[in-house]
C-alpha cells in the first residue's frame, strides 16, 4: 500500500507547483499592471483572490469559515492567524473581500515570481536591521491611509510538526497599538494537517477557519499593554487549537 501512496503524494504535491505556475502565467499581466500603483491595489487584490481560490479548490480543498464578528469594510484591521502551512496566506486572501497588505520577512522576495510580487505589494522587513524595522511603521502608515487592512503571522515562522503554536513576536501587536486598529485572531485548524511541509503527509479535505471576536487596541500603550495584548491573542488561538481533537491528533502524531 505504501508503494502506491508515496507516488500519489508526490504527484499531488507536484500538481500544486504546476497549478501555481499556470495560474501565475495566466494572471501575470493583470497582477503586474495593478501592482504599479497603490491606488490600484484593490484591483490587484481581486485577481489575487481568484488565483488563491484556484489553488485551494484545484488541490481538492474546501473552505469552511466561521466568524464571531462581521468585518466593517470601512475600517482597517490587523489579521493574526496561526501559521502551519504554505496554504495559509492563500486561505487568508481567498476569504477576505477587503484588501490586506501582508507584513513578512525580507527573505520572501527570493522566491521566484511570488517574491517579485511580494516585493511590490507587501511590506518586507529585514529583522537584522534596526532601520528596516523602523521603516515598517512608515510604510504601514502610508498603506493604512489607503483603507487597507494588514496581516502578520505572529509566530514569525512555520513551527515544527509537533508544536501546537510557536511563541508570538511583537510586531503585529506593536503596529496594531500604534495605529489603533483591532486585532482579528484567526484559527487555521487544517492547513498543517492537509498540506504541511512534510511532503509525505496530506490529502484533500475541508479547511476550517474560525475568526474570533476582534480585540480592540484603542487607548492602549506600547509600554503597558503590548505584552498583555500579545499574550491574550496567543492564548486565545492556542486554547482553540489545543481543544480541537483533529488538530491535536495530527500535532502529536508519532513519526
Amino acid at each position: 500500500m505504501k508503494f502506491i501512496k508515496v507516488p500519489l503524494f508526490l504527484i499531488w504535491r507536484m500538481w500544486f507547483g504546476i497549478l501555481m505556475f499556470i495560474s501565475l502565467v495566466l494572471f501575470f499581466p493583470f497582477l503586474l499592471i495593478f501592482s504599479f500603483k497603490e491606488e490600484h491595489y484593490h484591483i490587484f487584490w481581486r485577481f489575487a483572490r481568484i488565483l488563491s481560490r484556484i489553488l485551494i479548490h484545484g488541490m481538492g480543498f474546501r473552505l469552511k469559515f466561521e466568524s464571531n464578528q462581521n468585518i466593517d469594510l470601512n475600517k482597517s484591521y490587523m489579521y493574526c492567524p496561526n501559521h502551519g502551512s504554505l496554504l495559509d496566506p492563500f486561505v487568508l486572501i481567498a476569504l477576505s473581500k477587503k484588501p490586506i497588505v501582508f507584513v513578512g520577512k525580507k527573505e520572501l522576495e527570493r522566491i521566484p515570481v511570488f517574491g517579485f510580487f511580494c516585493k511590490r505589494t507587501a511590506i518586507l522587513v529585514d529583522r537584522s536591521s534596526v532601520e528596516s524595522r523602523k521603516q515598517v511603521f512608515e510604510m504601514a502608515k502610508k498603506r493604512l491611509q489607503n483603507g487597507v487592512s494588514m496581516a502578520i503571522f505572529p509566530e514569525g515562522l512555520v513551527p515544527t510538526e509537533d508544536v501546537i503554536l510557536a511563541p508570538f513576536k511583537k510586531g503585529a501587536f506593536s503596529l496594531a497599538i500604534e495605529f489603533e486598529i483591532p486585532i482579528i485572531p484567526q484559527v487555521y485548524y487544517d492547513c498543517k494537517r492537509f498540506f504541511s511541509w512534510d511532503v509525505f503527509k496530506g490529502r484533500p479535505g475541508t479547511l476550517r477557519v474560525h475568526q474570533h471576536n476582534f480585540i480592540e487596541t484603542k487607548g492602549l500603550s506600547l509600554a503597558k499593554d503590548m505584552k498583555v495584548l500579545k499574550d491574550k491573542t496567543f492564548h486565545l488561538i492556542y486554547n482553540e487549537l489545543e481543544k480541537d481533537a483533529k488538530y491535536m491528533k495530527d500535532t502529536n502524531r508519532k513519526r
Side-chain angles (χ1 to χ4, degrees), residues 225-240:
D225 304 305
M226 194 276 292
K227 186 178 185 304
V228 174
L229 180 64
K230 177 168 68 75
D231 291 346
K232 180 178 181 178
T233 308
F234 176 87
H235 289 301
L236 190 156
I237 296 176
Y238 183 95
N239 292 338
E240 278 291 307

Side-chain angles (χ1 to χ4, degrees), residues 34-219:
F34 295 115
S35 65
F36 276 112
K37 295 182 178 181
E38 288 182 18
E39 54 264 37
H40 294 157
Y41 186 69
H42 65 287
I43 305 176
F44 174 92
W45 186 256
R46 291 176 189 171
F47 285 103
R49 289 192 73 213
I50 296 170
L51 189 149
S52 296
R53 287 185 173 274
I54 288 173
L55 288 176
I56 290 168
H57 296 301
M59 290 298 292
F61 298 118
R62 290 180 299 163
L63 292 171
K64 183 180 179 182
F65 178 64
E66 295 182 0
S67 180
N68 292 356
Q69 191 172 344
N70 293 327
I71 295 290
D72 182 345
L73 295 178
N74 296 314
K75 292 181 65 175
S76 294
Y77 300 90
M78 174 63 75
Y79 288 82
C80 288
N82 58 299
H83 200 10
S85 169
L86 181 63
L87 283 178
D88 298 335
F90 299 109
V91 169
L92 181 51
I93 293 170
L95 289 174
S96 179
K97 295 179 181 179
K98 182 179 175 65
I100 298 172
V101 172
F102 286 86
V103 180
K105 299 180 292 184
K106 190 173 178 61
E107 290 82 356
L108 291 173
E109 68 183 24
R110 299 175 187 170
I111 303 173
V113 186
F114 180 79
F116 172 79
F117 287 110
C118 274
K119 188 175 180 179
R120 297 173 68 89
T121 60
I123 298 174
L124 301 181
V125 56
D126 180 357
R127 290 175 180 160
S128 64
S129 168
V130 176
E131 186 62 30
S132 177
R133 293 199 299 270
K134 288 180 180 178
Q135 288 176 354
V136 169
F137 284 92
E138 292 304 316
M139 290 186 284
K141 182 177 181 180
K142 186 178 178 182
R143 301 302 292 271
L144 286 169
Q145 287 173 343
N146 289 329
V148 302
S149 289
M150 309 202 74
I152 296 180
F153 292 100
E155 293 166 275
L157 47 75
V158 178
T160 56
E161 294 288 315
D162 59 339
V163 173
I164 297 174
L165 187 68
F168 283 0
K169 299 185 181 299
K170 64 182 183 181
F173 310 98
S174 298
L175 286 171
I177 291 174
E178 182 79 15
F179 299 112
E180 296 188 325
I181 55 177
I183 296 281
I184 299 185
Q186 286 190 335
V187 183
Y188 296 174
Y189 300 98
D190 305 297
C191 293
K192 184 178 79 169
R193 294 178 57 226
F194 295 152
F195 203 79
S196 76
W197 293 102
D198 184 345
V199 296
F200 297 109
K201 171 192 168 189
R203 63 176 177 83
T206 300
L207 304 176
R208 296 167 296 152
V209 177
H210 186 183
Q211 183 166 284
H212 282 265
N213 287 322
F214 311 153
I215 304 174
E216 292 295 334
T217 61
K218 194 170 184 178

